[in-house]
């Protein structure tokens, strides 16, 4: 599994392009349409099958229209509880942050525990509500990688004051859904730098697991 990172969109969201040795791939959270990614996709001859959204806030979906136009066969994947926010500019805060509306229609809705095979990569969707109602993390067990969106950051966590946010749900999601992953699981989040589960269990001041 190969992963490329790009800071995209007005709020510089961490966007990822992941692909296997056979060139089958997916994009995580395209905050903006990015020509650097298009260049890499074309250069490496990557067949991008899916855009996967960890959640539906505007800064994570701004690039979808451009990528859908460039790659018409690409399918957008999101948790079923994000449908209303993806399709409502007020709920996803695009009018507030961008000054214009952005709405998205997902092609595939998933729920907790669902899986998706992309090439030789087996993706598991972990529902982690708290930052939003339908926040998900994307876990690839074989590669010990988890795309955590805005649920868990390095020594921090996602905000809960936007639509669908709930602090208690966020803390519970991290403790019961993410802190149970192996300590050496790489966490690739929607903002800030990379981290791992072991580091967060020891040092994250917002979510202390007292059993560790």
């Amino acid at each position: 599994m190969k992963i490329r990172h790009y800071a995209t969109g007005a709020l510089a969201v961490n966007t990822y392009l992941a692909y296997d040795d056979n060139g089958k791939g997916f994009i995580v959270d395209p905050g903006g349409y990015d020509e650097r990614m298009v260049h890499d996709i074309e250069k490496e001859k990557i067949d991008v099958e899916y855009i996967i959204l960890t959640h539906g806030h505007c800064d994570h979906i701004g690039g979808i229209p451009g990528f859908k136009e460039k790659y018409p066969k690409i399918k957008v994947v999101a948790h079923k509880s994000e449908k209303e926010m993806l399709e409502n500019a007020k709920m996803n805060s695009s009018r507030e942050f961008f000054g214009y509306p952005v709405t998205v229609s997902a092609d595939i809705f998933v729920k907790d525990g669902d899986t998706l095979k992309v090439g030789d990569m087996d993706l598991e969707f972990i529902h982690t509500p708290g930052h939003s109602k339908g926040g998900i993390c994307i876990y690839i067990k074989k590669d010990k990688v988890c795309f955590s969106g805005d649920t868990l950051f390095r020594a921090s966590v996602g905000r809960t004051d936007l639509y669908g946010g709930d602090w208690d749900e966020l803390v519970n999601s991290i403790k019961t859904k993410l802190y149970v992953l192996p300590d050496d699981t790489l966490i690739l989040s929607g903002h800030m730098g990379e981290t791992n589960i072991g580091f967060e269990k020891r040092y994250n001041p917002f979510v202390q697991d007292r059993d560790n």
Side-chain angles (χ1 to χ4, degrees):
M1 180 182 184
K2 301 173 184 177
I3 302 172
R4 294 177 182 252
H5 165 261
Y6 312 82
T8 71
L11 300 182
V13 162
N14 289 335
T15 298
Y16 303 97
L17 170 65
Y19 56 102
D20 67 9
D21 290 335
N22 296 315
K24 296 291 186 180
F26 61 94
I27 296 169
V28 178
D29 290 347
Y33 181 75
D34 196 293
E35 291 288 353
R36 298 168 300 168
M37 187 188 302
V38 172
H39 174 270
D40 291 341
I41 289 170
E42 302 299 324
K43 180 181 178 181
E44 300 297 328
K45 297 181 172 58
I46 302 169
D47 178 14
V48 181
E49 297 183 291
Y50 303 98
I51 292 173
I52 304 176
L53 304 177
T54 61
H55 64 291
H57 287 144
C58 63
D59 55 326
H60 291 250
I61 66 175
I64 292 176
F67 282 112
K68 288 280 280 186
E69 182 177 354
K70 180 71 175 179
Y71 305 108
K73 293 183 179 179
I74 205 166
K75 296 186 182 301
V76 176
V77 181
H79 190 274
K80 61 181 182 178
S81 295
E82 292 297 86
K83 185 178 188 298
E84 62 175 354
M85 186 159 67
L86 289 171
E87 298 176 358
N88 186 303
K90 184 177 181 180
M91 290 181 180
N92 66 40
S93 300
S94 56
R95 288 188 183 276
E96 177 183 354
F97 286 98
F98 297 161
Y100 58 88
V102 176
T103 57
V104 171
S105 295
D107 300 291
I108 300 170
F109 287 107
V110 298
K111 62 183 185 302
D112 187 53
D114 282 355
T115 59
L116 179 68
K117 191 169 185 65
V118 185
D120 64 8
M121 300 173 289
D122 294 306
L123 284 57
E124 178 185 350
F125 300 110
I126 304 172
H127 184 210
T128 53
H131 180 65
S132 69
K133 292 182 179 180
I136 56 172
C137 295
I138 307 156
Y139 180 46
I140 300 93
K141 182 177 181 179
K142 182 180 68 173
D143 295 284
K144 297 182 178 180
V145 171
C146 181
F147 298 95
S148 65
D150 288 3
T151 296
L152 180 64
F153 301 138
R154 181 177 176 84
S156 189
V157 298
R159 60 192 292 183
T160 58
D161 60 328
L162 298 175
Y163 176 78
D166 184 291
W167 176 257
D168 290 336
E169 278 196 335
L170 181 70
V171 171
N172 183 67
S173 290
I174 295 170
K175 281 188 170 186
T176 65
K177 298 290 189 69
L178 297 184
Y179 279 7
V180 297
L181 299 178
D183 281 1
D184 59 350
T185 301
L186 177 66
I187 296 295
L188 299 176
S189 59
H191 302 274
M192 304 174 65
E194 64 183 46
T195 184
N196 63 66
I197 291 296
F199 179 90
E200 297 310 313
K201 286 164 68 174
R202 289 190 294 272
Y203 301 115
N204 193 310
F206 297 95
V207 186
Q208 288 296 318
D209 188 339
R210 302 304 180 185
D211 294 330
N212 289 277

